[in-house]
Amino acid sequence: MALFTACAAVVAFAVQPAGAAVPATPSGWSLVWADDFNGSAGSLPSSADWIIDTGHSYPGGPGNWGTGEIQNYTADPANVSLDGNGNLRITPIGSGQNWTSARIETRRADFKPAPGRILRIEGRIQMPNVTGEAALGYWPAFWALGSPYRGNYWNWPAIGEFDIMENVNGLNTVWGVLHCGVSSGGPCDETNGRGASRACPGSTCQSAFHTYRFEWDTSVTPNQLRWYVDGQQFHSVSQNQLDATTWSNMTSHAGYFLLLNVAMGGAFPNGVSGRATPTSATVSGRPMVVDYVAVWQSGGGTSPSPTPTSSPTPPPPGGVDARSTIQAENYQAQSGTSVETTSDTGGGQNVGFIANGDWLRYDRVDFGSTPARQFKARVASGATGGVSGLVQVRLDSLTAAPIGSFAIADTGGWQSWRTVPANISAVTGTHTVYLTFSSGQPADFVNVNWFTFSTS
């Protein structure tokens, strides 16, 4: 994360009330995805759209989330829940060096602009309302990570990170930062990143809601990245400020997933304060409050504002024929996997780094009126001896019983492909299809290139 010196600038700005709805989509833009965080008090954010990270790191990733923060992330509603008034609250709880908090990330990891368009990522957020000594160690953030990070966790910062809003130690300052290239040093001066900061307009970042926005603009040459608070731009990075390889590494993959979290302690708050944080003076229980998160793209005309419900607006449907060859990388959502180039016949990409508990989701798969009774998948495995697992098919819910499955172990290498069939319960109609992966070991055990369904 970035370490920068704040620059003060205060401009009057009208603040909306808490619990305001996602703004209406402006003319000339289309809504890609949004969550208004409507729901009953104490409930968790929608599991269909958010993953709740837990512990002190991703499995197999760097300790303390790679930044030295000390908290243990949980799925406890005391740390992360809706407040019943249209907001999400992420609340650190603890004292000394023992803290819990929360970090959530979107299941979707494909947020990027179409060529020639602008992607706008926006959130309306009130930072934890605590300042001075009592705020030391607080580190709220709204940010995005490149999709290849899932399942790898060691390819940062090359895959890109957009810090849309960061704040530490209760300062009236918003930081906007780009992380890219190599660590340490490189074109983004890692681990600092390329960043800028300013005071929140009008009221402080801690005392009121402010709107934090990031734009990725491919409609101009060179392309540009821009950061805003309450509609006022305070930072930008142009494509020509970076070498071609660095820019390509962070923009040519499938896209980004979004994150919201409140860390405690670590490199950023420690560096800004000049001492270890949190301290004995740090108070517990001050939440970051999130009114909404939304993603728009320029073009496509005007879309209606999402209707407030207990669930966010769903991602665009897949709409594929079950009897076609469904490329594994064309999922609508996933957890724990990554995409890589395949050497299988036909080339393209496969989904890899798949381990126990990972899954892939495909929306609106049309089985037609003639029952499908068989599932076939093109798979490969370089798993070590004794490591194997099941590839399972579920319909409409991750918790539904599998309608069929097959076992897979080492096939001779991660690019040594074979087509494996499995019988399934008869299926007709249109369904959401989940491929789920189950193993008795934590190690990766399978890659998937494509799959299909048939009558026999």
Side-chain angles (χ1 to χ4, degrees):
M1 296 291 181
L3 302 173
F4 289 91
T5 301
C7 59
V10 178
V11 180
F13 187 84
V15 178
Q16 291 178 292
V22 175
T25 299
S27 177
W29 293 76
S30 56
L31 183 67
V32 176
W33 178 90
D35 192 347
D36 211 6
F37 297 114
N38 290 315
S40 59
S43 61
L44 297 177
S46 168
S47 61
D49 286 89
W50 295 97
I51 299 167
I52 300 177
D53 297 325
T54 58
H56 292 279
S57 68
Y58 289 112
N64 299 102
W65 304 98
T67 63
E69 58 204 71
I70 66 167
Q71 78 295 320
N72 177 37
Y73 285 133
T74 81
D76 187 336
N79 292 125
V80 56
S81 61
L82 308 184
D83 66 3
N85 295 311
N87 304 301
L88 171 74
R89 292 176 179 263
I90 297 181
T91 308
I93 299 172
S95 62
Q97 297 298 296
N98 296 306
W99 289 80
T100 59
S101 189
R103 164 172 163 150
I104 65 174
E105 59 188 65
T106 57
R107 292 200 179 277
R108 287 190 65 173
D110 60 352
F111 295 118
K112 68 182 296 185
R117 297 190 180 185
I118 306 168
L119 190 77
R120 175 186 293 181
I121 303 169
E122 184 175 290
R124 186 168 178 267
I125 299 169
Q126 181 179 4
M127 297 179 190
N129 193 9
V130 59
T131 60
E133 292 285 312
L136 290 175
Y138 272 77
W139 185 0
F142 170 41
W143 50 303
L145 271 173
S147 60
Y149 193 67
R150 283 185 171 162
N152 184 327
Y153 309 130
W154 295 98
N155 51 14
W156 184 94
I159 46 79
E161 175 181 326
F162 308 138
D163 296 330
I164 304 164
M165 179 282 288
E166 284 191 282
N167 173 264
V168 291
N169 302 335
L171 299 173
N172 181 31
T173 306
V174 53
W175 278 267
V177 187
L178 169 67
H179 291 281
C180 70
V182 298
S183 185
S184 59
C188 274
D189 186 29
E190 297 303 348
T191 56
N192 289 327
R194 284 179 174 256
S197 61
R198 60 156 293 166
C200 285
S203 51
T204 68
C205 304
Q206 288 72 33
S207 64
F209 283 85
H210 294 271
T211 300
Y212 302 96
R213 187 170 89 225
F214 170 81
E215 291 185 353
W216 177 355
D217 189 351
T218 67
S219 71
V220 297
T221 302
N223 293 178
Q224 192 174 68
L225 309 176
R226 296 185 292 264
W227 285 255
Y228 302 80
V229 56
D230 292 340
Q232 301 177 29
Q233 183 179 332
F234 68 97
H235 182 38
S236 67
V237 176
S238 293
Q239 183 176 1
N240 60 359
Q241 293 177 263
L242 303 172
D243 62 273
T245 298
T246 296
W247 187 268
S248 177
N249 285 343
M250 73 175 187
T251 60
S252 63
H253 51 64
Y256 282 73
F257 57 96
L258 310 183
L259 302 98
L260 294 160
N261 69 286
V262 181
M264 294 299 296
F268 196 179
N270 293 353
V272 170
S273 68
R275 53 179 158 161
T277 65
T279 72
S280 59
T282 305
V283 301
S284 173
R286 305 297 173 88
M288 176 173 76
V289 186
V290 185
D291 182 15
Y292 67 81
V293 174
V295 182
W296 291 275
Q297 181 171 243
S298 64
T302 302
S303 297
S305 179
T307 302
T309 64
S310 59
S311 299
T313 302
V320 294
D321 187 336
R323 288 162 176 77
S324 67
T325 299
I326 303 171
Q327 298 298 324
E329 70 272 17
N330 291 339
Y331 50 74
Q332 274 64 66
Q334 63 87 38
S335 178
T337 72
S338 188
V339 174
E340 63 182 356
T341 301
T342 182
S343 63
D344 196 15
T345 302
Q349 296 179 310
N350 66 262
V351 175
F353 307 98
I354 300 172
N356 181 57
D358 295 345
W359 54 264
L360 302 166
R361 191 186 90 204
Y362 305 85
D363 294 344
R364 297 191 68 238
V365 179
D366 184 4
F367 290 84
S369 58
T370 302
R373 301 180 184 277
Q374 190 173 72
F375 165 72
K376 295 179 183 178
R378 187 73 168 168
V379 293
S381 176
T384 57
V387 175
S388 63
L390 295 176
V391 177
Q392 303 161 313
V393 181
R394 303 175 194 262
L395 299 182
D396 302 319
S397 171
L398 272 173
T399 58
I403 63 169
S405 65
F406 63 78
I408 186 73
D410 182 26
T411 62
W414 294 112
Q415 293 294 318
S416 180
W417 296 95
R418 64 179 60 175
T419 303
V420 180
N423 293 326
I424 60 172
S425 303
V427 183
T428 60
T430 300
H431 298 274
T432 298
V433 170
Y434 289 88
L435 299 190
T436 61
F437 305 93
S438 177
S439 172
Q441 302 88 12
D444 296 344
F445 71 90
V446 67
N447 289 351
V448 181
N449 190 10
W450 54 259
F451 63 94
T452 190
F453 297 89
S454 61
T455 56
S456 60

